[in-house]
Amino acid sequence: MYPRSLPYLLLLPSTLFLCVFFLYPFGLVAWQAFVTDTGQFTSEFFVEMKSHWKFNTAFTNTILLALAVVPFQVCLALYMATLVNGMKRGRDLILYIWTIPLGISDLAAGIIWLAIFEQTGFLNSMMQGMGFIDQPVSLLSYQNTGMIFLAILLAEVWRATAIVLVILVAGMGLIPKEYYEAAEVFGAGRWKRFTKITLPMLKPSLQTAMILRVIMAFEVFAVVVALGGTNLPVLMGEIYTWQFDLQDANVAAAYALVILLISISCTLLIMWGLRTPKEARV
Amino acid sequence: MAIIQIKGVAKQYGKVHALHSIDMTIADQEFMVLLGASGCGKTTLLRIVAGLETATTGEVWIGEKRVDKLAPKDRGIAMVFQNYAVFPHLTVYENIAFGLRMAKMEQKEVDRRVERTATLMHIEGLLKRYSGQLSGGQRQRVAVARALATEPQVLLMDEPLSNLDALLRMEMRAELKTVLAESNTTTIYVTHDQVEAMSMADRIAIMNGGKIVQASSAVEVYRNPAAHFVGSFIGNPPMNFLTADNSGDGFWQVAGVRVKGPDTSQKSIQFAIRPEDIVVHGKSGDGSTASEGAFTAGVRILEPLGSHLLASCKVDDQLFRVVLNSDAEVQPGDTLQWSPQADRVRWFDPETELALSTV
């Protein structure tokens, strides 16, 4: 027998770590967002943030990017995971190759895609070489935010689908084969087996993957900077601008709280949307 | 409501022959049990009929239709799996209705069938529950109800009772037999439990090493094993075998006794008798009048099993089991005098392992 305090004792180091490196800085940021240098509570930083002309654009862009990237990634990862799980040989090899982008930093990923899309990039020289265009065009200019958006979308999908894939492959591996056989015998074709067995039984993994991805999507920054500069403002980019260019940590903190708020709401929404009733759990 | 014909079905995994050209016809509404030790190919054969596995060669016919190229759902079958495969994310109702929903049946008909099969399996009170809230026995019932709800021509069962405890298994055995007798389906039932096989089957197909060794009624399989394997597999304890040496004119020397047997020219064959088909005359040296030409058996181990006393003996240095009356006064070390019930003696060819007829 061990003393009753032992579990708490064992939890202490990680609790301390979380407090010092997460809770305390979080408290500081929250403090900064609401309290002036002279120590007065105020909402002026939020008002300042909200009244700035870039806030609405940045907010909309961030949400739109997340809405475009995450569902697409989840669908793609589901399809890829199904393919991988159906493979008899070479499964691990394919999985390794598909997860290579995970090892590349997001700034590097942004630069790779910049090399494709910029005026002297691969895409331009290819189109020119095939005679579609006479001279290189500026694809990522400020007049062309749609194209910037698309390039960011592609780079994000390329970079971060693998994390969803890995979680889903692991989740699919946990579904007993007998359920699929039973479904097959009782008349379910491929698609029905996917919707009636795979999806419902994959809910816990889908939940994890989506929460992770959505939070990452709201923090999108380096890829946007590399491909769009300031032509496509996003929330995270605004934090950087306020903190370092405009030297206003208070408004930057207000922005940070906005990201936190939408991350938490989305997490709750996903948890609720993909919940499994207690009695239906395996 | 269909005849199942299996024609020359073989299955190979790489170099391993899981099934050697199986031929079998299962009559309409027959309850056929595939019985054998694990790895004998019985489950593979069932899965080939189900369409979950493809035969390397051969054909499977259900009714008038060749089905071995069809998807499982087009074969008119339903299946009960060893681990039940009751979907955890669906209620009992939706589990039973699964096949009906896939067939896009009307809600009214779905309700009717779910209710009927649930009542049949005594789970009508559990329809709103999830599988996680059920016991093993209840899950088993759901699995059977789900299969019966589709009113299949053919019902396939893969060791459905093997995960239940002994008492529950006995109960379910009797219940399944009743339910299936009323359902008019042709059933193939895989098990490794011979008691289950014998108690339920119309016909038992005993499999060994990817072949069907014998396919007959329970009594026939027990009384007249077609091969050495059947005799040594069926029955608890199994058949006794003793070496018999040819002494000419259809007579054989078995453990020092001359016995009339099959008239073949082989040098040596096997004499076989079931442990309960032995008449014990008494113990050597207790003054009882042993008939002339009686066998002797040295008792080694006694196992009092309640209904009877099982004596493991040595006859001519070969293991020999005898079923005695529970109150028989025997001690280890005694020598029993016995003779076989003449009409129950069987003979086997040690080379082909097949039964030899005594004409």
Side-chain angles (χ1 to χ4, degrees), chain A residues 105-126:
Chain A
S105 82
D106 40 359
L107 184 61
I111 291 169
I112 291 174
W113 283 84
L114 184 66
I116 296 174
F117 283 104
E118 70 179 339
Q119 200 157 3
T120 53
F122 295 119
L123 188 62
N124 262 311
S125 36
M126 207 170 82

Side-chain angles (χ1 to χ4, degrees), chain A residues 100-116 122 155-156 158-159 221-227:
Chain A
I100 285 175
L102 274 187
I104 294 169
S105 82
D106 40 359
L107 184 61
I111 291 169
I112 291 174
W113 283 84
L114 184 66
I116 296 174
F122 295 119
E156 277 291 286
W158 178 83
R159 186 180 70 81
F221 174 58
V223 171
V224 177
V225 169
L227 286 167

Side-chain angles (χ1 to χ4, degrees), chain A residues 279-280, chain B residues 86-96 123-135 138-139 142:
Chain A
E279 58 274 15
Chain B
V86 173
F87 305 124
H89 58 285
L90 299 178
T91 58
V92 167
Y93 180 100
E94 284 304 327
N95 261 289
I96 300 176
I123 45 171
E124 63 272 31
L126 307 173
L127 289 176
K128 286 192 184 123
R129 296 221 198 154
Y130 286 91
S131 140
Q133 300 165 295
L134 303 179
S135 68
Q138 289 169 330
R139 264 179 238 179
V142 175

Side-chain angles (χ1 to χ4, degrees), chain B residues 89-288:
Chain B
H89 58 285
L90 299 178
T91 58
V92 167
Y93 180 100
E94 284 304 327
N95 261 289
I96 300 176
F98 191 86
L100 313 176
R101 297 255 190 253
M102 290 300 127
K104 300 209 163 59
M105 209 165 272
E106 268 181 57
Q107 182 58 40
K108 233 179 172 182
E109 179 66 6
V110 173
D111 277 337
R112 194 187 66 78
R113 288 214 197 173
V114 170
E115 202 165 304
R116 191 180 63 83
T117 45
T119 312
L120 199 64
M121 295 311 296
H122 306 296
I123 45 171
E124 63 272 31
L126 307 173
L127 289 176
K128 286 192 184 123
R129 296 221 198 154
Y130 286 91
S131 140
Q133 300 165 295
L134 303 179
S135 68
Q138 289 169 330
R139 264 179 238 179
Q140 182 57 63
R141 285 165 191 274
V142 175
V144 176
R146 177 175 63 183
L148 291 176
T150 62
E151 296 179 3
Q153 291 188 306
V154 171
L155 181 60
L156 306 172
M157 306 180 103
D158 185 7
E159 309 223 14
L161 304 184
S162 64
N163 286 349
L164 302 180
D165 61 62
L167 206 64
L168 204 54
R169 192 152 46 194
M170 209 148 94
E171 195 185 302
M172 277 298 282
R173 205 160 72 199
E175 205 176 313
L176 266 185
K177 195 174 175 174
T178 332
V179 168
L180 293 177
E182 289 163 13
S183 72
N184 299 333
T185 56
T186 312
T187 309
I188 306 182
Y189 185 106
V190 163
T191 182
H192 64 266
D193 180 343
Q194 50 169 302
V195 181
E196 209 171 289
M198 300 188 70
S199 69
M200 296 175 85
D202 291 329
R203 207 144 56 97
I204 304 175
I206 294 159
M207 296 187 65
N208 185 31
K211 288 179 190 145
I212 292 179
V213 188
Q214 184 173 13
S216 294
S217 70
V219 177
E220 182 67 15
V221 167
Y222 190 79
R223 285 264 185 269
N224 300 314
H228 179 279
F229 173 78
V230 179
S232 64
F233 184 71
I234 297 284
N236 184 22
M239 238 175 181
N240 291 307
F241 297 92
L242 295 172
T243 316
D245 296 314
N246 201 338
S247 63
D249 296 331
F251 278 90
W252 301 84
Q253 201 69 31
V254 182
V257 182
R258 217 167 106 91
V259 189
K260 178 91 178 85
D263 200 359
T264 69
S265 58
Q266 268 153 300
K267 248 184 91 189
S268 149
I269 57 172
Q270 280 178 312
F271 163 96
I273 183 81
R274 290 223 170 258
E276 66 273 25
D277 296 335
I278 285 161
V279 185
V280 175
H281 306 298
K283 289 185 278 190
S284 289
D286 68 352
S288 61

